[in-house]
Amino acid sequence: ITSYMIKQKIKSKGSKDVDNTENCAICLHKQSEIITDCNHQFCEECINNWHMLKENCPYCRKNNIDFFEINRD
């Protein structure tokens, strides 16, 4: 084994009401489940995979972002 990564899920700071739920900004086909404090939406699988490699927003590159679960009506 040449490299080893521990999969760690993002930690949500709670939930957030969202008027318009969009498709994930990474894969573009799954409905978003997570929104960042910079208001970008992602499916849980994509944002977990991204956050294992980098700790910024994959859309705007903002550092030190918080994650929230999207509330659905």
Side-chain angles (χ1 to χ4, degrees), residues 46-73:
C46 286
I47 197 61
N48 279 325
N49 289 337
W50 175 270
H51 202 60
M52 281 190 318
L53 301 173
K54 299 185 180 194
E55 294 188 1
N56 61 5
C57 175
Y59 194 82
C60 70
R61 305 293 194 247
K62 178 183 181 238
N63 291 314
N64 301 318
I65 56 176
D66 291 323
F67 302 100
F68 301 90
E69 294 177 22
I70 294 176
N71 281 337
R72 291 188 170 65
D73 292 340

Side-chain angles (χ1 to χ4, degrees), residues 16-57:
K16 192 173 185 179
D17 293 327
V18 176
D19 292 331
N20 184 22
T21 305
E22 301 170 358
N23 284 351
C24 173
I26 297 173
C27 69
L28 304 175
H29 70 274
K30 289 184 184 175
Q31 190 172 25
S32 295
E33 303 155 320
I34 303 293
I35 189 166
T36 62
D37 59 346
C38 48
N39 291 316
H40 297 119
Q41 299 180 22
F42 307 97
C43 70
E44 192 170 357
E45 181 181 354
C46 286
I47 197 61
N48 279 325
N49 289 337
W50 175 270
H51 202 60
M52 281 190 318
L53 301 173
K54 299 185 180 194
E55 294 188 1
N56 61 5
C57 175

